[in-house]
Amino acid sequence: RGLIYDRNGVLLADNRSSFNLSIVVERAGDLEALIAELDGLIGVSAREQKQFYKQLKRRRRPYEPVPLRLDLNEQEQGILAVNEYHLPGVEVTVQLLRNYPRGVETAHVLGYVGRINDREIQELDPVRYSGTLVTGKTGLEKYYEDELLGEVGYQTVETNARGRVMRQLEREDPEAGKDLHLYLDSRLQHVAYEALAGERGAVVAIEIETGGVLAMASAPSFDANEFVTGISYSNYDALL
């Protein structure tokens, strides 16, 4: 996903590496027993299980991994590595996740990305979104979704009669999305947000000559990073 910078080249939205737990259902055997065992090892919430089964019902290729837990910490990765020998179908893969270094200061102007829901999956291009689990939900992330998303890559493979990939014949690498350079000045944004401390309100500063928005702060705010992998019900209720 393309990066977002302020007017001085300060990074406001980037991508960080995330280790994710996925299951290749065709290799898993007793799926419910496997998830129960994973729950005992690292904990799998009811929300994560619900999301997994919803993803499982969507159209997918045979032997395509289905994500169960996103953003594993080092301890969880270690536990899975030690127990890998008796967890058939379990894979730990690396994926890039959106990251907002300024957190609460830029949440209202940048917006955030989140998991693609059932309504969105009916509207979005299944080819362009085949390589990602998220889409822009609010703010600039949503408004500039087409530019930030980039182009998906592809590979031509040979499979057996059951759909399992045997070898790769051809590959086209994906293209990164376009970077976004804003009029926003992150230093002024910080001053504006700090000035609202303990108050409800908003501050907008506009460059008269161009109409460019130099700062757009709103309070109270929230940490947009919580929405990237899916915010918990309890944390969302607290925000409301």
Side-chain angles (χ1 to χ4, degrees):
R1 193 172 180 88
L3 307 179
I4 302 179
Y5 298 90
D6 83 340
R7 67 189 293 122
N8 300 308
V10 176
L11 202 55
L12 302 179
D14 62 0
N15 305 299
R16 63 179 178 83
S17 296
S18 166
F19 289 85
N20 303 329
L21 166 62
S22 300
I23 297 177
V24 179
V25 178
E26 288 79 4
R27 299 177 186 157
D30 188 337
L31 188 57
E32 291 188 4
L34 177 61
I35 291 177
E37 185 168 3
L38 289 169
D39 184 27
L41 289 171
I42 62 171
V44 181
S45 70
R47 181 177 61 87
E48 289 168 333
Q49 293 185 42
K50 181 180 179 181
Q51 187 72 38
F52 172 82
Y53 283 110
K54 283 176 68 175
Q55 187 95 358
L56 194 58
K57 291 177 182 177
R58 296 172 182 169
R59 191 174 70 176
R60 62 184 185 86
R61 297 184 301 275
Y63 291 92
E64 180 181 1
V66 180
L68 176 63
R69 276 281 307 275
L70 302 182
D71 210 14
L72 300 170
N73 60 39
E74 289 186 2
Q75 183 179 3
E76 291 166 341
Q77 294 172 46
I79 291 171
L80 292 173
V82 169
N83 292 276
E84 184 180 16
Y85 70 96
H86 64 88
L87 298 172
V90 170
E91 291 186 356
V92 175
T93 56
V94 181
Q95 187 182 26
L96 291 177
L97 280 185
R98 201 55 153 174
N99 179 55
Y100 303 103
R102 300 279 170 151
V104 296
E105 289 186 11
T106 57
H108 288 102
V109 59
L110 296 184
Y112 55 84
V113 300
R115 280 199 180 195
I116 298 169
N117 60 37
D118 291 336
R119 177 184 57 80
E120 291 165 337
I121 205 167
Q122 303 299 323
E123 301 170 353
L124 298 175
D125 184 339
V127 175
R128 283 200 73 190
Y129 284 85
S130 59
T132 182
L133 300 172
V134 302
T135 184
K137 298 286 188 177
T138 63
L140 296 177
E141 289 280 26
K142 181 176 181 180
Y143 190 84
Y144 288 102
E145 173 68 18
D146 284 347
E147 288 79 8
L148 291 168
L149 178 63
E151 298 297 330
V152 72
Y154 73 88
Q155 56 183 355
T156 304
V157 298
E158 180 182 306
T159 69
N160 62 17
R162 298 188 61 188
R164 185 170 186 176
V165 175
M166 305 305 290
R167 63 180 177 133
Q168 181 179 291
L169 303 176
E170 184 182 4
R171 176 184 173 87
E172 180 74 27
D173 290 330
E175 294 181 15
K178 296 177 182 176
D179 293 341
L180 191 60
H181 295 265
L182 308 180
Y183 274 94
L184 199 80
D185 187 318
S186 59
R187 297 168 300 179
L188 188 58
Q189 179 77 6
H190 174 73
V191 170
Y193 183 74
E194 288 293 304
L196 288 167
E199 303 289 342
R200 293 176 179 269
V203 175
V204 180
I206 298 175
E207 188 177 64
I208 300 301
E209 292 80 4
T210 63
V213 176
L214 295 170
M216 189 169 79
S218 181
S221 189
F222 58 94
D223 187 353
N225 290 298
E226 289 192 48
F227 287 83
V228 175
T229 57
I231 190 169
S232 68
Y233 293 122
S234 59
N235 285 352
Y236 188 68
D237 286 342
L239 282 180
L240 290 179

